[in-house]
Amino acid sequence: MKPPRGIFFLLLSLLVFGSGPLFARDVEVTVEDAELEMPLEGAAILLRNGEEYVCDEAGKALFTLPDDGPAVIRIVYPGYESRRLTIPAAEAGGDGIQRITAALRLGGVMESRELVLEAERPGTSETKSGRSVAISDRELARTAEIGIIEDVMTSVKLLPGVGYSGMFNALPSIRGGDPGDLMAVLDGFYLERPYHWGGGFSIFDPKMVSSARLSHGVFSSRYGHTISGLLEISSKTPSPTETELEAAIGSSAASLNLSFPLAGKGGILFMGKVTYWDTLVWAAKGLSRAMPDNETLDLVNSVSTAPFIRSAAISANYRFTGNLEMKANAFFGSDGVGAAYRNVYDDEDIQGKVNMDFEFGNYQGFLITGLTFNPLPSMVLKATAGGGFIQTSADGFVDNRVTIRYNQEFLDKYEDTLTGLKSDQSYTAPNANGELDTNMTIANFQGRADLDWDLGRGFLAAAGAQELYSLWNQREDIDTILETPIAELPQATIDLLPEHLFPIKDIPNAALIRPIGYTGDVRNQGFTTSGYGLVEYASPDRKFGAELGIRVDHLYFLGRDFSVQTRPALNPRLNLDFGVLKNRGAVDSLTFTAGTGLFSSMNETVSFIEKSSGIEDYGLKMNRSWTSLIGTKIDFERGYSFSLEGYYKRVFDRAYLTVDMTSSNTIVPAFAFDGIGNVWGFDLQLQKLESRYWDGWISYSFNWAKYRNPQSEEDRWYYPSFHRFHNFNLVLAIKPIRRFNIAVRLGLASGRPASKTGDEIYSYPVQEVDENNQPVLDENGKPVIIQKYRRDSWYDENERSAWSVPLDVKFSFFRFDHKGRVLSEIYLGAENLLAPIFAAQGGGTTFNEYTGRVDTGANSASYGLPIPMVSLGFKWSY
C-alpha cells in the first residue's frame, strides 16, 4: 500500500525546513530611550519566526535564539521609531547569556498619551475599549495571508461586531449598519470604493499594511464620513537602514516587495502583485464535468475571462530634520472578469436557447503625501493632501428565446375565458433580452490639516479641518422587458386596455410583459467641508480619562444645471474611561468605558441625483446616527484579555431609493431622506496575545437591527437583507515547533432574512405589449397568450436562510538561514473546507416558469463556491 502523497509532502518539508543548526543560545536585550537613557518598559522584541517578547520594568527581555549565528530582530514601542537590530554571533558572558543594549528615539508623530513607561501591550496599543479594535501586522500575516486572495478585509471580517458576508464579499455589515457605509482611510486619506471586482475583495494587500484598526464605537471626532464603521489602514514604513526584499509565488498570485534605505533618514518601498485565476478556473471546469448535477459549479464553464487583479504600490518616508518628516503613498490597480453563457434545451413541451455575455473592468489609483512637523516638544502639526480616481465599465447582453406548448392543466383552468387554445398548439414567448452599458468615472481630491497640543497636567487639545472634492461621471443605458401584474398598474392604464384585445384583463394574477428602460448621464460635483475640535484628559494615575469633541460636516452639491446643499451636521461626541483595578492578583487591569455621540455620512447613491430628482436646497440630507455604548475590558496575566461591549444606535435621515416601474416604460428613481432604524447588540471577545505555542481569539456578536422606509410602497419595519443575529469566530495560531505553524479560522453565522414561499405552484396568463401598451399580435392578428407559473413569496421576519460555517486552514513551514536574515516559508491553505457538508440551502425547490415542472435541485443560498478552495505557495524574505 502506497502512503498518501500528503505524507511525502509533510516529510519532505520537515527535512528541508527542519535541517537547521541545533545549538541554541540565550540573549538579553535592554531597550532604552536614546536621549533620556531611561528603560522602556513594554517595548516588544519581534523575532523573524513571529515570536514576541516584552521588556520588563528594567527594559530587559530574555529570549532564546535557535543557533549561535547572527540574527536580526525588530524592536517596537508606541510613540517611538521601530528599529531593526542585528545580533552578532554568540559572545556570551560568564553566565552564558549574550547581552545587547538598543536605544530608540521618539517618532515623528507625537502621541503624548503613550509616552509613558506604562505602555499598552504590544499589538494592542491601537485597540481602545468602546472605540476600536486593532489588528497588528503579525495578526494580519496569520489571518489575512490565507487562501487564493490575500486581503486585509479577510482579517477584519473576523473581528467582533462584524457580520459574516461570505467568501467573495469585502463589504460586511458593521454592528447592523449598511455594508456600503463602511469608510476606509489610508494614512488619513479617505478612499472611495477601495475594492476589486465590485466589492469582492479590498485593495489592501497585507504586505502593504502595518496595521488595521476598525472603529465601530464612539470614535474620535478627528474622523467622520460614516455612521457605522471606520477602517483605518496604516501603510508599511520602509526601513531607514536596511535593504529588504520579499517575494512570493503561489497557485493564484505572485508578488514582490523591495525597499531601500535613504541615507538613514527614511526609505522607499516598491510593491507589486499579480493575481491569476486561470489555473483555478481550469481545475473548477474539470471538477464540474465530474459533478454534472451541481448547477452552481457548472456556471464556472461560462467564464470567458478568468478573474484577474493587477496592482502596484509605492510607499516612502523621509525625515528632513528631527522634527520634520514627509510620507507618501501611491497605488494603481486593475481588475476584471468576463462570462459567456450558452445553453440550448429541447424538451417535449419547451425548446429554446439562452445566450449571455458580460464583461467587467475596473481601474483605480491614488497619490497621497503628508508632512508631520513638531514646532514645539508639546505640539504636532500634520498636513495631508492627495487625489485618486476610479474608472469602471460593465457591458452585458442576454438573449433568451423560448417556444412552449400549452399543457392541459393551463387549458382546463382558463377554458371559459381563453378560448381557441389547443394542447398541441405551440407559441414563441417574448424574447427576454436585455442590454447593459455602464461607464463610471469617480475622481476625488482632498486636503486636511491637524494640530495636537499637549497642554500639560493631563490635558491635550486637538483641532483640524478638511476639504474633500468629488467628481462623479456616469453614463448608463438599460433596455429590458418587465413582467408586471395588471393589478399593480395605474387604474388609468388598466381602463385603457380593450377587453377584446386583452382577454386576460379580468383574470386574477394575470400580467403584462412590456419593454422598459433607463438612460442616465450625470456629471456631479461634491464639496464636503469638515472641521473638528476636541479635548482629552488623562489623570496621572490613569484611573480616569475623557474625550469631548465636536465635528461639523457640510456638503455642497453641484450638477450640470442645478445645485443643492445640506445643512451643517453637528456631531458632538463624549467618551469616559475608568481604570478600576490594576495589578491585583491575576488581573493586570480592569477598565470600564462609556460613550455617546452623533455621526453623519453621505450615501453613495445620492451622488447620481439629477435636476429631475426634484431635490431642493437643504432637502438633501446626510445619513445620521446617534450611538451610545458601555463596555469593560479585563487584562489578565499570561497574556489573556477579555472585553464586552453593549451598544444602541438610532439611525435617522437615512437616504434610500424608491423606483417607479409601472407608470411608464421608463424606470423613474426617486430619492428620500427620512429613513430610520433601531440597532442594538453586544460583542464579547476572549483573546490570547502573542505567545510561544499558541495565540488567537474567540468572539461572539449578537445584533438586532430593523429599518423603515416611510415613503416606500410597503411602509413597515423590516430586517435588512444583510442582517444576522449571531456571529461567532474562532481564530487560532498553533505553533508546535518553531518551523511549523497552523492557522485556523472557524466561523458560525446565523442566516440572513429570506422570503417565505408558498407550497402551491400555479399557472397564470401573460400578454406582451409594446411601448404604447398595445398588444403584440401573432400572424393571424390575435393576441399571444403566454403560459407561465409562479409560487407566491412574501416577507416574513421569522424566515431565515441556513447557518453558514466557514472553515479555513493554513499549514506553514519555515526556515531561517544561519545569519537570521533570510526567512523562507512554504504553505498549504484551504478555504471553505466544510462547503460540501454545510452548503447553505434555501427553502423549497426550483421550477420552470413556463411549464411548472419542478426541478431536482434546491434554491441555493450559499455565499461562495460549493467546493473548498486550495492554495499552495512559497515566500522568501530578506
Side-chain angles (χ1 to χ4, degrees):
M1 176 178 176
K2 293 184 178 180
R5 293 184 179 179
I7 298 298
F8 285 121
F9 176 79
L10 178 62
L11 292 177
L12 179 61
S13 301
L14 291 175
L15 287 173
V16 173
F17 290 90
S19 58
L22 302 177
F23 302 98
R25 56 175 165 144
D26 292 329
V27 179
E28 181 185 82
V29 174
T30 302
V31 182
E32 60 183 27
D33 185 289
E35 297 180 356
L36 303 178
E37 297 183 355
M38 294 175 57
L40 296 179
E41 179 187 1
I45 310 295
L46 309 178
L47 307 187
R48 294 299 297 271
N49 61 1
E51 293 183 18
E52 177 179 315
Y53 299 87
V54 182
C55 295
D56 59 19
E57 65 275 2
K60 300 179 183 296
L62 180 66
F63 53 90
T64 301
L65 292 177
D67 56 68
D68 57 359
V72 178
I73 64 174
R74 187 161 68 96
I75 308 173
V76 297
Y77 188 71
Y80 284 75
E81 290 185 344
S82 61
R83 178 179 176 183
R84 292 169 61 89
L85 179 68
T86 300
I87 298 178
E91 296 177 357
D95 56 0
I97 300 177
Q98 183 180 6
R99 291 179 170 82
I100 303 291
T101 299
L104 302 184
R105 64 175 180 174
L106 291 175
V109 180
M110 180 178 179
E111 299 182 12
S112 60
R113 289 295 160 267
E114 294 178 334
L115 299 186
V116 294
L117 296 183
E118 298 176 354
E120 298 283 351
R121 293 185 176 191
T124 65
S125 61
E126 296 299 321
T127 296
K128 295 184 178 180
S129 180
R131 299 166 180 78
S132 59
V133 181
I135 311 175
S136 66
D137 55 350
R138 297 175 299 284
E139 292 169 330
L140 286 173
R142 290 194 297 267
T143 58
E145 296 182 12
I146 297 179
I148 54 178
I149 298 290
E150 296 181 352
D151 182 9
V152 168
M153 283 304 301
T154 303
S155 298
V156 173
K157 291 190 289 186
L158 299 171
L159 296 176
V162 181
Y164 176 68
S165 59
M167 183 176 174
F168 297 100
N169 188 349
L171 289 165
S173 170
I174 309 299
R175 285 185 169 174
D178 188 280
D181 195 66
L182 176 64
M183 173 58 72
V185 178
L186 176 65
D187 294 339
F189 185 86
Y190 291 95
L191 296 175
E192 188 167 357
R193 307 183 191 183
Y195 303 105
H196 293 301
W197 297 341
F201 297 92
S202 81
I203 65 172
F204 303 120
D205 188 294
K207 297 181 182 63
M208 64 181 284
V209 173
S210 65
S211 67
R213 179 168 65 177
L214 176 66
S215 298
H216 50 25
V218 183
F219 53 86
S220 172
S221 301
R222 291 179 173 89
Y223 291 104
H225 303 296
T226 177
I227 64 171
S228 295
L230 178 76
L231 179 61
E232 299 177 66
I233 302 293
S234 298
S235 62
K236 188 166 290 185
T237 301
S239 170
T241 58
E242 301 281 346
T243 298
E244 299 177 321
L245 174 64
E246 181 177 356
I249 186 170
S251 54
S252 59
S255 63
L256 178 67
N257 290 11
L258 177 62
S259 77
F260 297 98
L262 298 176
K265 295 186 176 182
I268 183 168
L269 171 62
F270 299 92
M271 296 165 281
K273 186 169 186 178
V274 176
T275 298
Y276 41 82
W277 276 27
D278 303 80
T279 53
L280 295 175
V281 171
W282 171 81
K285 288 182 177 180
L287 186 60
S288 70
R289 290 189 289 271
M291 302 171 62
D293 295 333
N294 194 314
E295 296 181 2
T296 303
L297 184 59
D298 183 63
L299 293 176
V300 75
N301 293 294
S302 305
V303 176
S304 57
T305 301
F308 68 88
I309 298 174
R310 314 281 188 262
S311 62
I314 300 175
S315 178
N317 72 301
Y318 190 82
R319 181 182 293 275
F320 297 98
T321 64
N323 58 6
L324 179 62
E325 182 179 11
M326 183 187 75
K327 192 170 186 178
N329 288 283
F331 174 86
F332 178 79
S334 65
D335 57 271
V337 64
Y341 178 76
R342 305 286 184 268
N343 188 26
V344 177
Y345 42 94
D346 187 5
D347 295 333
E348 179 181 356
D349 49 3
I350 181 171
Q351 298 84 36
K353 63 179 181 179
V354 179
N355 296 322
M356 186 194 75
D357 293 293
F358 178 77
E359 290 289 337
F360 172 84
N362 181 62
Y363 300 89
Q364 58 185 307
F366 56 80
L367 174 63
I368 310 169
T369 59
L371 285 174
T372 302
F373 177 55
N374 297 89
L376 298 172
S378 61
M379 184 179 294
V380 179
L381 286 170
K382 296 171 65 177
T384 304
F389 78 95
I390 302 173
Q391 172 66 53
T392 302
S393 63
D395 299 294
F397 173 82
V398 60
D399 181 14
N400 184 11
R401 299 176 182 274
V402 181
T403 300
I404 308 110
R405 179 178 299 171
Y406 293 116
N407 62 40
Q408 194 60 47
E409 182 274 337
F410 180 82
L411 296 176
D412 293 342
K413 183 175 182 180
Y414 299 107
E415 62 180 352
D416 295 334
T417 53
L418 303 177
T419 59
L421 303 182
K422 300 178 181 179
S423 60
D424 59 351
Q425 181 180 351
S426 297
Y427 66 95
T428 300
N431 184 9
N433 62 343
E435 293 186 24
L436 171 67
D437 183 8
T438 300
N439 286 279
M440 179 180 66
T441 302
I442 300 176
N444 75 82
F445 301 92
Q446 53 190 287
R448 66 179 294 165
D450 301 87
L451 167 66
D452 283 25
W453 190 0
D454 189 348
L455 303 177
R457 298 182 179 272
F459 288 93
L460 181 143
Q466 181 191 45
E467 184 66 32
L468 171 59
Y469 168 78
S470 300
L471 170 68
W472 302 281
N473 267 334
Q474 175 165 306
R475 180 181 57 80
E476 185 172 29
D477 293 310
I478 300 175
D479 291 300
T480 185
I481 61 173
L482 178 70
E483 180 181 310
T484 306
I486 294 178
E488 295 181 6
L489 293 173
Q491 187 60 46
T493 301
I494 298 176
D495 293 339
L496 294 176
L497 303 177
E499 293 187 5
H500 70 285
L501 293 178
F502 290 93
I504 68 171
K505 178 179 178 179
D506 298 322
I507 297 178
N509 302 313
L512 300 180
I513 290 181
R514 56 197 182 88
I516 195 168
Y518 172 77
T519 299
D521 188 3
V522 299
R523 185 182 188 276
N524 293 328
Q525 303 173 76
F527 300 83
T528 304
T529 304
S530 304
Y532 73 89
L534 62 87
V535 176
E536 296 180 13
Y537 173 75
S539 64
D541 56 5
R542 298 282 170 154
K543 290 187 176 181
F544 176 71
E547 178 181 332
L548 175 63
I550 187 169
R551 181 182 180 88
V552 181
D553 294 313
H554 174 265
L555 171 65
Y556 177 75
F557 201 90
L558 180 63
R560 278 199 177 99
D561 49 4
F562 73 101
S563 65
V564 294
Q565 62 180 316
T566 65
R567 298 186 186 277
L570 300 179
N571 299 312
R573 300 171 195 173
L574 172 66
N575 279 290
L576 301 175
D577 301 295
F578 303 91
V580 181
L581 292 177
K582 188 171 184 180
N583 299 325
R584 294 284 186 91
V587 178
D588 287 348
S589 65
L590 169 62
T591 60
F592 287 95
T593 185
T596 186
L598 290 171
F599 299 84
S600 61
S601 70
M602 182 53 65
N603 193 310
E604 66 178 28
T605 305
V606 178
S607 59
F608 302 108
I609 63 176
E610 302 178 71
K611 184 178 181 179
S612 59
S613 302
I615 301 174
E616 299 180 353
D617 238 4
Y618 305 117
L620 180 65
K621 297 181 181 180
M622 292 186 175
N623 297 337
R624 304 296 304 277
S625 73
W626 171 49
T627 300
S628 299
L629 64 82
I630 56 173
T632 184
K633 186 172 185 288
I634 309 176
D635 291 331
F636 299 95
E637 60 183 12
R638 298 186 180 181
Y640 290 94
S641 178
F642 174 78
S643 62
L644 171 64
E645 292 182 12
Y647 58 89
Y648 169 77
K649 179 163 52 180
R650 172 67 175 183
V651 179
F652 58 99
D653 289 348
R654 184 177 57 86
Y656 59 95
L657 191 67
T658 60
V659 180
D660 180 6
M661 295 190 293
T662 60
S663 298
S664 67
N665 294 322
T666 300
I667 299 173
V668 180
F671 298 89
F673 303 93
D674 57 357
I676 54 178
N678 288 314
V679 182
W680 65 272
F682 63 88
D683 307 321
L684 59 87
Q685 181 182 39
L686 176 62
Q687 185 174 16
K688 176 68 169 69
L689 300 178
E690 185 78 27
S691 67
R692 167 63 185 85
Y693 292 102
W694 71 278
D695 50 72
W697 69 81
I698 297 175
S699 68
Y700 168 75
S701 298
F702 174 83
N703 177 262
W704 187 96
K706 274 193 172 183
Y707 288 82
R708 180 186 172 195
N709 302 330
Q711 297 187 41
S712 64
E713 184 176 348
E714 297 180 350
D715 178 14
R716 62 166 180 244
W717 288 96
Y718 65 94
Y719 291 111
S721 60
F722 50 80
H723 176 254
R724 297 179 186 272
F725 282 112
H726 310 281
N727 284 276
F728 169 85
N729 287 303
L730 171 64
V731 179
L732 281 180
I734 305 170
K735 299 167 279 188
I737 60 176
R738 297 179 185 274
R739 290 179 168 83
F740 176 60
N741 288 354
I742 304 173
V744 179
R745 306 183 310 211
L746 173 65
L748 185 62
S750 60
R752 302 192 303 177
S755 296
K756 183 77 172 180
T757 57
D759 296 328
E760 180 187 5
I761 300 173
Y762 61 89
S763 62
Y764 64 99
V766 179
Q767 275 188 247
E768 182 184 10
V769 298
D770 59 21
E771 60 275 7
N772 298 315
N773 285 331
Q774 296 301 309
V776 176
L777 307 178
D778 60 15
E779 62 275 7
N780 298 319
K782 295 183 179 180
V784 176
I785 305 300
I786 304 164
Q787 163 189 291
K788 295 197 73 176
Y789 286 81
R790 72 154 63 105
R791 178 166 47 200
D792 289 333
S793 63
W794 59 93
Y795 173 80
D796 186 334
E797 64 178 25
N798 297 316
E799 194 73 11
R800 294 272 165 167
S801 61
W803 287 58
S804 298
V805 190
L807 173 63
D808 309 323
V809 179
K810 178 184 178 183
F811 302 95
S812 297
F813 302 86
F814 300 95
R815 175 168 178 168
F816 317 94
D817 77 332
H818 67 284
K819 296 182 179 180
R821 288 179 172 269
V822 178
L823 171 64
S824 301
E825 175 190 359
I826 185 170
Y827 67 87
L828 173 65
E831 296 177 278
N832 209 23
L833 273 175
L834 300 180
I837 304 174
F838 293 99
Q841 297 291 318
T845 55
T846 61
F847 59 92
N848 188 288
E849 64 175 336
Y850 290 105
T851 66
R853 185 187 302 120
V854 176
D855 298 330
T856 56
N859 288 328
S860 176
S862 62
Y863 310 105
L865 291 177
I867 57 173
M869 303 297 289
V870 179
S871 57
L872 176 68
F874 175 79
K875 299 179 181 180
W876 183 90
S877 61
Y878 171 81

